[in-house]
Amino acid sequence: MKISYNWLKQFIKLPENPTETGDLLTDLGLEVEGITSFQSIKGGLEGVVVGHVLTCNPHPNADRLNLTTVDLGNGENVQIVCGAPNIAAGQKVPVATIGTTLYDEKGEEWTIKKGKIRGEASHGMICSEKEIGLGGSHEGIMVMDNELVPGTPVAEIFNIENDHVFEIGLTPNRADAMSHWGVARDLKAGYKQQGKNLELITPSVSSFHVDNRSLKIPIHIEDSSLAPRYCGVSISGLKIEPSPSWLKNRLKAIGIGPKNNVVDATNYVMHELGQPLHAFDADKIAGREIKVQTLEKGTKFTTLDEVERELHEEDLMICDAEKPLAIAGVFGGLGSGVSANTNNIFLESAYFNSVSVRKTAKRHGLNTDASFRYERGIDPGIAEYAIKRAALLIKEIAGGKITSDIDDIYPKKIEDFQVFLTFEKVNKLIGENLQEETIKSILASLEIRVNNVTETGMGLTIPSYRVDVQRESDVIEEILRVYGYNNIKFGEKLKISVANSSKYEDYKLQNIIANQLTGQGFHETMANSLTSPAYIKLSEQLKEEHSVNMLNPLSQDLSVMRQSLLFSGLETVNYNINRRHGDLKLFEFGKTYHNYVSGRVEDKHLSVFVSGNRNPEGWNLQENRGNFFYLKGVAESILNRLGITNLKAGSAKSDVFSEGVAMSSKKATLVEFGVVRKSILKHFDIDQEVLFADFNWDAVIELVKMQKINFTAIPRFPAVRRDFALLLDESVKYEDIQSIAIQTEKKFLKTVNLFDVYQGSNLPEGKKSYAVSFMFQDENKTLTDKQVDKIMSKLQQRFEKDLHAELR
């Protein structure tokens, strides 16, 4: 939000140095993100002076140029070549002297230099209005008042305004500061805390009066909950023309382009007081009445930007007897606005329901200065004062007469909010014992009225413009920001209490696994929980009726809560691949959301994505792409790190995998992982293979809590390894070999590992070869070859009997 320093000075006397004021605003919670300079004419006409044309003769080498001799008031006359048709001796003209910087319409600068034009020296430039930014005429040079003294800076004659503009990062809760008056109120409170009692000067409306009652336009409100207050007044016989320079400069300083005197006046008052206003051409109001109502869904309406829109049945509209005129609090209509032919206007000042305005603005993709204020909440008590202020300003700059009483429809007054403030809570939250008089002084400076005082606290009335101050803690925040965060002293001791928490807390286990994955080269991501409803069609297991739909979505692509972490993860994969980062190892802790018949459910998940090479490129590294077995190892390492072992493996039930595995405990499936189907990848424009693991994190945590950790001493005796090369039927699984081995030797067998698989030539049809290693260890003594040979013989017999295996 832009705030003009010169404009602020109309409300409160401020120091000349804007930096001091900017620092105070930041301390008060209105963070000044930058201070920029503004000049009503760029460059400030520096170097442009009044010149007296002494002679004017035709250029000897050009038909359309003249040689002039100009007195610049410095005792020396200079020769300037001029091509303007209206140049003549005896004129007083603006002259840009050597070294002067001028600006074109696009803001690009160019400097006046000494030069020759068609062989004749030229020491400066005689300017037109357009060339120095004082008008739009470019037909000839600007002829000035003949009484002016040569050498007088042109900037002094035209009162070039220099200003400083604050860029304030306004937080949504500070609706009271969405105007120059609101910022000035805060500055008054801040300076009072510094011991400076500055007067807040408000625009007077005491001269407002009705000239006659020839143009009364009745107002009818359909639903007062959508429009709790609506004021209107008629002004007749005005003349639409450009605004005066002072008004243009005020608006241009804060980035608003002037339009005409009536529209500029409404914009001026809105930025001055924070109350949006709208002017309708009264002659275009059919039936001479205003109706504030909703219309049927699908009603066509063309706004001021010439866009035809379809209205929603909840859009609040300003209508006449026949048609809609404006979207209430958001945007005016093309057919009812003020134009060059307008003579009579109906001026609106209203308080609309903030939720209604926000929904309407979002639906139509509109964000105007008016909706910005209505959405955050304006002061309901200022509507009449603002309309009087605007009416007087319009009369001053556009003429006309006030031709109706102010029709103020306010059926149920919005009362100021009551809060009881306890001294104990103030001191507890602030961390410092403030004197009662200090608290009262700060509250008074914020226009918060103290109704009664007791030993424990005080009863307060909050002004209506502070829509965000509703609780005791809100009041304490107000006291603290005015008292000054920097004035709070730190004690010598810091007292804290250490909370006892379980080692199975979600965040602790999450940090353990996150650290492990980052150590393995993974990067953590955090995707939006809002997603597109179109993704539901990519999996038959996701149901549209289970979607949690947003009531007020930002867009169609963000209109439902996600039912799976897969699709938001694939968006991230696609984003990185499109930026030439194709080797990806990602993980995310997040929630999925489901709307079941029994109620809404949130489930915590851990998703893992692998795509491309497992390791970064290097001259001494071979390409090593991530594959199914790599992801399987990652999944098992996560579970093993949490002490979860001996899980049952089976085929994944999810249809998002072209091939996948599920690992389950007795109670639940803990993880499903595999290769994502190409049809799903195609939807995201991904051409390379993507591996995905989906952990049911809630189930993992529950299982971890049930695990008992057993500690054993490190064995003192060596382990013995023996290998078998087994010729097996293709139907035999490694799981079968492992199961038989464990059943056969439970005492000394520690691990079984498949380290090679071969299928192909030199093997009988329907056969395959498995190379399996067995690790044996006795924790009390060293195993002998005889013991190991006996065990291997038993294993061979079992494999031959149960699996029809042969040793190769």
Side-chain angles (χ1 to χ4, degrees):
M1 185 183 71
K2 296 182 184 294
I3 294 293
S4 158
Y5 199 50
N6 288 348
W7 202 337
L8 277 180
K9 289 179 180 178
Q10 293 185 335
F11 290 98
I12 189 170
K13 186 177 180 181
L14 296 173
E16 290 302 317
N17 182 6
T19 304
E20 178 187 331
T21 303
D23 292 341
L24 179 57
L25 284 173
T26 298
D27 290 342
L28 289 167
L30 301 177
E31 182 181 0
V32 176
E33 298 176 340
I35 303 176
T36 57
S37 298
F38 168 80
Q39 292 176 312
S40 55
I41 295 178
K42 194 170 184 179
L45 298 181
E46 186 175 346
V48 182
V49 299
V50 175
H52 183 198
V53 181
L54 302 176
T55 64
C56 180
N57 299 305
H59 193 293
N61 303 318
D63 295 336
R64 297 184 179 181
L65 299 178
N66 294 294
L67 287 180
T68 65
T69 304
V70 182
D71 175 13
L72 298 180
N74 57 2
E76 294 184 9
N77 301 331
V78 297
Q79 178 176 283
I80 299 177
V81 178
C82 180
N86 63 332
I87 186 70
Q91 293 174 336
K92 298 290 176 63
V93 294
V95 178
T97 58
I98 300 299
T100 298
T101 299
L102 298 178
Y103 298 85
D104 62 17
E105 294 177 346
K106 296 180 180 179
E108 297 180 1
E109 62 180 46
W110 51 289
T111 304
I112 305 300
K113 299 178 181 178
K114 230 183 252 187
K116 286 188 176 182
I117 301 177
R118 294 290 182 94
E120 296 292 336
S122 183
H123 300 272
M125 185 177 80
I126 302 174
C127 303
S128 67
E129 291 180 356
K130 189 173 184 179
E131 287 166 335
I132 57 177
L134 289 172
S137 175
H138 198 48
E139 297 299 321
I141 55 96
M142 179 181 182
V143 180
M144 306 178 75
D145 190 341
N146 202 44
E147 300 299 321
L148 295 173
V149 178
T152 304
V154 173
E156 295 180 4
I157 300 169
F158 291 98
N159 296 320
I160 305 303
E161 181 166 350
N162 295 293
D163 196 358
H164 292 88
V165 180
F166 298 130
E167 184 67 45
I168 295 179
L170 193 69
T171 52
N173 65 307
R174 291 305 307 276
D176 63 295
M178 294 188 296
S179 66
H180 287 76
W181 187 20
V183 173
R185 270 193 310 242
D186 252 25
L187 285 172
K188 178 188 175 185
Y191 277 118
K192 185 175 182 180
Q193 182 61 25
Q194 295 180 1
K196 302 174 184 177
N197 290 315
L198 303 181
E199 182 184 359
L200 186 63
I201 305 166
T202 55
S204 173
V205 295
S206 59
S207 61
F208 178 88
H209 67 279
V210 178
D211 296 298
N212 60 66
R213 294 174 174 79
S214 59
L215 187 58
K216 181 173 175 59
I217 299 179
I219 301 167
H220 306 284
I221 310 293
E222 180 186 76
D223 187 348
S224 61
S225 66
L226 299 179
R229 189 175 190 183
Y230 193 96
C231 297
V233 69
S234 300
I235 305 175
S236 304
L238 45 77
K239 184 178 181 182
I240 304 299
E241 56 188 9
S243 298
S245 297
W246 69 266
L247 178 51
K248 289 181 179 178
N249 291 339
R250 285 284 178 270
L251 296 178
K252 284 195 274 187
I254 59 174
I256 297 177
K259 293 180 175 60
N260 59 57
N261 47 8
V262 171
V263 173
D264 292 348
T266 58
N267 282 332
Y268 179 86
V269 173
M270 177 173 63
H271 288 275
E272 178 185 53
L273 304 179
Q275 170 67 53
L277 301 111
H278 189 73
F280 299 91
D281 189 326
D283 296 326
K284 297 177 182 177
I285 299 176
R288 289 290 173 89
E289 64 176 336
I290 289 290
K291 297 180 179 179
V292 184
Q293 61 186 37
T294 55
L295 299 175
E296 290 183 4
K297 183 178 182 179
T299 301
K300 305 290 186 182
F301 179 66
T302 303
T303 44
L304 282 170
D305 56 359
E306 300 184 4
V307 175
E308 185 179 72
R309 305 176 188 275
E310 282 194 11
L311 300 179
H312 188 272
E313 66 268 21
E314 294 181 2
D315 292 338
L316 187 64
M317 303 296 295
I318 311 300
C319 308
D320 59 19
E322 300 175 357
K323 61 186 180 300
L325 304 175
I327 304 176
V330 181
F331 214 16
L334 184 63
S336 62
V338 173
S339 66
N341 300 319
T342 298
N343 294 311
N344 310 307
I345 65 168
F346 173 78
L347 188 62
E348 166 196 280
S349 175
Y351 176 77
F352 297 118
N353 181 283
S354 59
V355 175
S356 173
V357 172
R358 180 163 54 250
K359 288 183 176 180
T360 296
K362 291 292 184 185
R363 271 193 292 267
H364 297 288
L366 294 170
N367 183 21
T368 62
D369 284 340
S371 67
F372 176 81
R373 285 159 174 79
Y374 279 124
E375 287 176 27
R376 285 155 180 80
I378 64 170
D379 180 6
I382 203 178
E384 183 182 11
Y385 172 67
I387 203 171
K388 288 181 178 179
R389 167 68 172 147
L392 290 173
L393 182 58
I394 290 172
K395 280 187 66 176
E396 177 187 335
I397 62 177
K401 295 182 179 180
I402 297 173
T403 50
S404 76
D405 292 305
I406 294 177
D407 198 354
D408 186 1
I409 310 300
Y410 198 11
K412 185 178 180 180
K413 184 178 179 181
I414 299 174
E415 300 293 338
D416 293 341
F417 201 77
Q418 307 294 317
V419 172
F420 187 80
L421 179 70
T422 59
F423 299 129
E424 181 184 2
K425 189 75 174 287
V426 172
N427 297 330
K428 182 179 180 181
L429 288 185
I430 292 179
E432 190 167 315
N433 293 328
L434 300 186
Q435 297 295 322
E436 183 179 322
E437 290 306 315
T438 301
I439 295 174
K440 287 182 179 179
S441 174
I442 292 174
L443 293 174
S445 68
L446 292 170
E447 300 181 11
I448 296 176
R449 190 169 70 249
V450 179
N451 300 322
N452 55 76
V453 180
T454 67
E455 291 183 0
T456 59
M458 54 183 71
L460 308 174
T461 297
I462 312 299
S464 57
Y465 62 81
R466 287 313 305 267
V467 294
D468 62 312
V469 181
Q470 302 286 302
R471 303 168 301 168
E472 183 182 16
S473 56
D474 296 330
V475 178
I476 296 172
E477 182 184 3
E478 291 298 294
I479 295 170
L480 179 55
R481 71 179 183 86
V482 175
Y483 181 76
Y485 291 97
N486 296 331
N487 294 326
I488 302 299
K489 299 174 183 177
F490 289 95
E492 295 180 356
K493 295 181 179 179
L494 183 62
K495 298 178 180 180
I496 61 172
S497 58
V498 179
N500 182 28
S501 62
S502 168
K503 63 181 180 181
Y504 300 116
E505 290 286 347
D506 184 3
Y507 74 93
K508 291 183 178 180
L509 299 178
Q510 187 171 311
N511 286 340
I512 289 172
I513 298 305
N515 289 335
Q516 174 170 310
L517 288 171
T518 52
Q520 294 174 348
F522 283 79
H523 295 275
E524 185 171 9
T525 65
M526 187 177 295
N528 196 338
S529 294
L530 298 176
T531 189
S532 170
Y535 293 158
I536 296 173
K537 300 176 183 178
L538 299 178
S539 171
E540 294 182 359
Q541 292 176 316
L542 304 181
K543 305 297 182 183
E544 187 173 349
E545 58 268 24
H546 295 163
S547 293
V548 178
N549 298 300
M550 303 302 295
L551 295 176
N552 186 25
L554 295 173
S555 67
Q556 183 62 23
D557 288 339
L558 298 173
S559 60
V560 299
M561 306 291 281
R562 62 184 176 184
Q563 294 189 46
S564 171
L565 269 62
L566 172 63
F567 308 117
S568 55
L570 290 178
E571 288 176 347
T572 304
V573 172
N574 168 264
Y575 183 90
N576 281 272
I577 291 175
N578 288 342
R579 285 153 183 79
R580 303 185 66 82
H581 296 289
D583 300 329
L584 301 169
K585 295 195 293 184
L586 311 172
F587 72 96
E588 178 189 4
F589 288 96
K591 289 187 176 182
T592 59
Y593 305 86
H594 311 272
N595 187 18
Y596 298 128
V597 176
S598 57
R600 292 177 178 172
V601 175
E602 295 182 15
D603 294 324
K604 185 77 173 283
H605 288 258
L606 164 62
S607 64
V608 178
F609 292 86
V610 176
S611 186
N613 290 323
R614 289 158 49 181
N615 301 313
E617 288 181 327
W619 67 270
N620 60 343
L621 296 175
Q622 293 183 350
E623 184 178 278
N624 190 5
R625 301 189 72 81
N627 54 34
F628 178 87
F629 296 101
Y630 172 70
L631 183 62
K632 176 176 181 289
V634 171
E636 288 179 341
S637 70
I638 291 172
L639 297 172
N640 291 340
R641 180 65 182 85
L642 298 174
I644 300 174
T645 57
N646 299 325
L647 295 176
K648 182 181 179 181
S651 298
K653 296 180 181 179
S654 177
D655 61 354
V656 302
F657 300 112
S658 59
E659 52 180 315
V661 169
M663 300 179 73
S664 309
S665 67
K666 293 180 180 179
K667 293 185 177 180
T669 299
L670 299 184
V671 59
E672 288 187 325
F673 57 88
V675 181
V676 180
R677 282 195 293 114
K678 289 185 177 180
S679 59
I680 295 178
L681 298 181
K682 185 178 179 180
H683 184 86
F684 292 88
D685 294 326
I686 299 174
D687 295 327
Q688 63 190 49
E689 185 179 72
V690 177
L691 302 148
F692 169 61
D694 182 20
F695 288 82
N696 183 342
W697 191 249
D698 292 324
V700 169
I701 291 178
E702 288 302 314
L703 188 58
V704 169
K705 293 178 181 179
M706 299 170 59
Q707 298 298 309
K708 293 182 179 180
I709 300 176
N710 296 317
F711 296 91
T712 58
I714 297 175
R716 292 182 297 145
F717 301 98
V720 178
R721 169 176 165 162
R722 293 289 175 88
D723 299 340
F724 268 160
L726 300 172
L727 185 65
L728 303 159
D729 293 334
E730 285 185 345
S731 60
V732 176
K733 300 178 182 178
Y734 164 69
E735 183 182 5
D736 300 331
I737 298 173
Q738 185 184 43
S739 177
I740 291 172
I742 293 172
Q743 292 174 12
T744 303
E745 177 53 51
K746 298 180 180 179
K747 184 176 181 181
F748 298 128
L749 181 61
K750 299 300 181 182
T751 61
V752 181
N753 182 48
L754 175 66
F755 64 89
D756 187 47
V757 177
Y758 176 74
Q759 285 179 288
S761 60
N762 301 324
L763 291 182
E765 187 176 349
K767 296 288 185 177
K768 63 183 176 181
S769 175
Y770 273 6
V772 185
S773 67
F774 304 89
M775 194 71 70
F776 305 99
Q777 189 174 40
D778 188 339
E779 297 177 1
N780 300 313
K781 60 183 179 180
T782 302
L783 286 172
T784 65
D785 288 340
K786 186 176 181 181
Q787 288 176 295
V788 176
D789 290 342
K790 186 177 180 181
I791 296 171
M792 292 298 291
S793 178
K794 287 168 59 180
L795 290 175
Q796 180 181 348
Q797 292 173 14
R798 284 294 304 274
F799 293 150
E800 290 174 349
K801 178 182 178 182
D802 296 348
L803 303 177
H804 307 292
E806 298 178 27
L807 287 182
R808 293 188 64 200

